[in-house]
Amino acid sequence: MKLWDKGFSTDKKIDHFTVGNDRELDLVLAKYDVIASKAHAKMLGKVGLISEDEAKDLVKALDAIAKDLEKGKFTIEDDFEDMHSKIEFMLTEKLGDTGKKIHSARSRNDQVLVAMQLYLKDELTEIKSQVKVLFDLLIKLADKHKSVLLPGYTHLQIAMPSSFGLWFSAYAESLVDDLYFVQAAHKVADQNPLGSAAGYGSSFPIDRSFTTAEMEFATQKYNVVAAQMGRGKVEKATAFGISSVAATLSKMAMDICLYMSQNFDFISFPNELTTGSSIMPHKKNPDVFELIRAKCNKIQAVPNQLIMIMNNLPSGYHRDLQLVKEVIVPALQDMHACLEMMTFSLKEIKVNKSILEDPKYDYLFSVDTLNELVKSGMPFRDAYKTMGKAIENGNFKPKRDIDHTHEGSLGNLCLEQIKEKMEKVLA
């Protein structure tokens, strides 16, 4: 059962190779094909390509399919190539010739485009929501632990004093940057491609403004060739958006894995959030964060995967583009899971409040001690050499009562300003 069936069959090996895992992926997207089909049916009735009664019958039948999808009763058997052929079969089985009319003035190409873009809009909206929940938690943790000092590192060498307030809120503000990319991807996806058909429009007098409003797109992808060229481009924009979020989560997961080790001992988690070893009874492993790190690193490779599929394709549709689906859908599912698990786990984090009591961290205060000499009138370069000699000779005495007051420093976290940035990007 194929939408392009002309009365002859293709070799089974060709079928298997060309269909791939589309049926499984289409179970995720079928909801959106139904939404687009309803808008299309209403439009066909509005412009007179089908009667108003036929349009109502199609919408009613599509609503029934939507309920099956909600209940998990919708399946795509091997007899069908994809969700489009299964849905059209169900409509024809129920409505006869009326069901066969649903495909007037559209192609499977713009069907795929519009279903994917509706799906990506929903996914990106959900990711924004999940990022905001994690952001709020990080701001809360930053405020709660703002006075607890933490060693700062450069080159993995002890550098300068930091704080848990700085650490948590650094990742919070980084998420704001990530949402700029996510918002940009949402804007690319929020353009209706339905009506572009196979990429060259239609001789039918369709009303694309109607379907645009019906499906709540912000605008149309007006040029029908440009609409078809959006296939893969929208997925790539989405991939760049989620890869930015993934980079932030991966880096934080790496910090957590380091900070949990006995060599650092900066933070800990309850036993139920760690795993053990089959032979070492003392182990409390950060498996959750290691998997977040790995999954987020995989997500960061997705833009390149899509570029490699799409690179140097001329305009118009090519079957290569089928493969973008199997790259972006699992990546989005992994992104949701990583955001959920990072938020779930961070709620239980415990910070070590006495880290800097260890004398090996005395040198964290070398810059602050040096700055006191500068404040007293000594030129910076002379103060630097004086401090260097004191450290070399073992005469260094750290000034621990540090006073950082400028915006964004550990004594002035600017949490309210960071929250305002997040509100603006979401607005």
Side-chain angles (χ1 to χ4, degrees), residues 117-126 128 179-191 216-218 234 237-238 241:
Q117 287 181 224
L118 288 168
Y119 164 73
L120 292 177
K121 281 178 61 180
D122 269 6
E123 292 293 296
L124 291 167
T125 298
E126 177 59 23
K128 285 189 283 185
L179 283 194
Y180 291 140
F181 288 96
V182 173
Q183 289 283 51
H186 191 278
K187 213 162 196 175
V188 174
D190 204 9
Q191 306 174 87
E216 299 182 351
F217 278 102
V234 181
T238 298

Side-chain angles (χ1 to χ4, degrees), residues 257 260 273-276 284-293:
C257 290
M260 282 180 68
L273 295 184
T274 62
T275 61
K284 292 173 67 175
N285 299 322
D287 285 25
V288 167
F289 300 102
E290 289 170 342
L291 286 170
I292 289 173
R293 181 175 61 196

Side-chain angles (χ1 to χ4, degrees), residues 150-300:
L150 175 73
Y153 287 79
T154 61
H155 307 275
L156 275 179
Q157 305 292 306
I158 292 168
M160 291 178 65
S162 181
S163 69
F164 279 103
L166 267 182
W167 185 62
F168 285 121
S169 59
Y171 282 105
E173 191 165 9
S174 183
L175 288 172
V176 175
D177 295 339
D178 301 333
L179 283 194
Y180 291 140
F181 288 96
V182 173
Q183 289 283 51
H186 191 278
K187 213 162 196 175
V188 174
D190 204 9
Q191 306 174 87
N192 178 25
L194 187 61
S196 59
Y200 300 98
S202 171
S203 60
F204 290 113
I206 58 174
D207 186 344
R208 296 189 64 208
S209 294
F210 175 86
T211 57
T212 299
E214 190 72 18
M215 291 183 286
E216 299 182 351
F217 278 102
T219 186
Q220 291 182 45
K221 194 73 171 182
Y222 289 100
N223 184 293
V224 291
V225 177
Q228 183 56 60
M229 289 196 299
R231 182 87 181 268
K233 187 175 184 179
V234 181
E235 290 89 341
K236 186 171 69 173
T238 298
F240 277 116
I242 64 173
S243 69
S244 187
V245 178
T248 298
L249 265 59
S250 178
K251 187 181 286 289
M252 187 168 201
M254 181 63 206
D255 277 359
I256 290 171
C257 290
L258 278 176
Y259 293 177
M260 282 180 68
S261 76
Q262 291 90 337
N263 301 73
F264 286 80
D265 194 29
F266 295 168
I267 60 175
S268 62
F269 288 88
N271 291 342
E272 57 267 25
L273 295 184
T274 62
T275 61
S277 162
S278 61
I279 63 171
M280 294 173 282
H282 66 282
K283 295 296 291 296
K284 292 173 67 175
N285 299 322
D287 285 25
V288 167
F289 300 102
E290 289 170 342
L291 286 170
I292 289 173
R293 181 175 61 196
K295 285 177 182 288
C296 285
N297 288 341
K298 276 180 63 183
I299 291 168
Q300 289 179 80

Side-chain angles (χ1 to χ4, degrees), residues 10-20:
T10 52
D11 188 282
K12 287 185 179 179
K13 283 187 178 180
I14 298 294
D15 271 353
H16 181 74
F17 183 74
T18 55
V19 172

Side-chain angles (χ1 to χ4, degrees), residues 82-149:
D82 50 30
M83 61 181 172
H84 314 294
S85 53
K86 176 62 185 287
I87 290 170
E88 186 168 325
F89 172 82
M90 293 174 72
L91 293 175
T92 303
E93 188 178 45
K94 187 168 186 177
L95 302 175
D97 285 348
T98 299
K100 297 177 184 178
K101 294 180 180 181
I102 187 67
H103 204 58
S104 302
R106 71 176 181 180
S107 163
R108 188 166 60 168
N109 291 5
D110 62 342
Q111 271 189 273
V112 174
L113 275 166
V114 70
M116 177 58 78
Q117 287 181 224
L118 288 168
Y119 164 73
L120 292 177
K121 281 178 61 180
D122 269 6
E123 292 293 296
L124 291 167
T125 298
E126 177 59 23
I127 284 168
K128 285 189 283 185
S129 176
Q130 286 184 289
V131 167
K132 179 59 164 59
V133 172
L134 177 57
F135 172 89
D136 289 343
L137 175 61
L138 289 168
I139 291 292
K140 181 179 178 182
L141 289 168
D143 188 51
K144 179 179 179 180
H145 301 293
K146 61 187 175 185
S147 300
V148 182
L149 293 183

Side-chain angles (χ1 to χ4, degrees), residues 215-423:
M215 291 183 286
E216 299 182 351
F217 278 102
T219 186
Q220 291 182 45
K221 194 73 171 182
Y222 289 100
N223 184 293
V224 291
V225 177
Q228 183 56 60
M229 289 196 299
R231 182 87 181 268
K233 187 175 184 179
V234 181
E235 290 89 341
K236 186 171 69 173
T238 298
F240 277 116
I242 64 173
S243 69
S244 187
V245 178
T248 298
L249 265 59
S250 178
K251 187 181 286 289
M252 187 168 201
M254 181 63 206
D255 277 359
I256 290 171
C257 290
L258 278 176
Y259 293 177
M260 282 180 68
S261 76
Q262 291 90 337
N263 301 73
F264 286 80
D265 194 29
F266 295 168
I267 60 175
S268 62
F269 288 88
N271 291 342
E272 57 267 25
L273 295 184
T274 62
T275 61
S277 162
S278 61
I279 63 171
M280 294 173 282
H282 66 282
K283 295 296 291 296
K284 292 173 67 175
N285 299 322
D287 285 25
V288 167
F289 300 102
E290 289 170 342
L291 286 170
I292 289 173
R293 181 175 61 196
K295 285 177 182 288
C296 285
N297 288 341
K298 276 180 63 183
I299 291 168
Q300 289 179 80
V302 170
N304 191 56
Q305 284 182 274
L306 294 174
I307 289 168
M308 290 298 98
I309 293 170
M310 297 162 53
N311 208 26
N312 296 330
L313 291 180
S315 62
Y317 175 73
H318 311 276
R319 194 64 181 259
D320 313 51
L321 295 167
Q322 176 183 328
L323 301 186
V324 302
K325 193 189 302 184
E326 65 187 45
V327 176
I328 194 65
V329 172
L332 285 162
Q333 292 170 340
D334 279 345
M335 188 77 265
H336 290 307
C338 289
L339 282 164
E340 181 182 359
M341 291 310 300
M342 181 65 85
T343 303
F344 176 79
S345 300
L346 279 179
K347 289 177 183 177
E348 305 299 327
I349 194 170
K350 299 176 182 177
V351 307
N352 182 349
K353 297 182 179 180
S354 55
I355 301 168
L356 300 195
E357 291 177 8
D358 190 322
K360 72 170 175 261
Y361 293 123
D362 284 353
Y363 294 121
L364 284 171
F365 302 95
S366 67
V367 176
D368 290 272
T369 310
L370 182 159
N371 288 349
E372 288 302 305
L373 295 177
V374 175
K375 288 178 185 177
S376 68
M378 186 181 294
F380 178 85
R381 192 49 60 199
D382 293 341
Y384 181 90
K385 290 178 180 178
T386 299
M387 193 58 56
K389 287 178 182 178
I391 291 170
E392 188 71 23
N393 297 331
N395 299 323
F396 171 65
K397 294 182 180 179
K399 177 187 179 300
R400 286 178 169 268
D401 56 332
I402 57 176
D403 185 25
H404 294 199
T405 59
H406 69 75
E407 295 102 320
S409 65
L410 60 85
N412 184 5
L413 295 176
C414 295
L415 297 184
E416 289 304 314
Q417 290 89 332
I418 294 172
K419 284 161 69 176
E420 285 177 15
K421 286 176 73 175
M422 175 58 85
E423 292 302 326

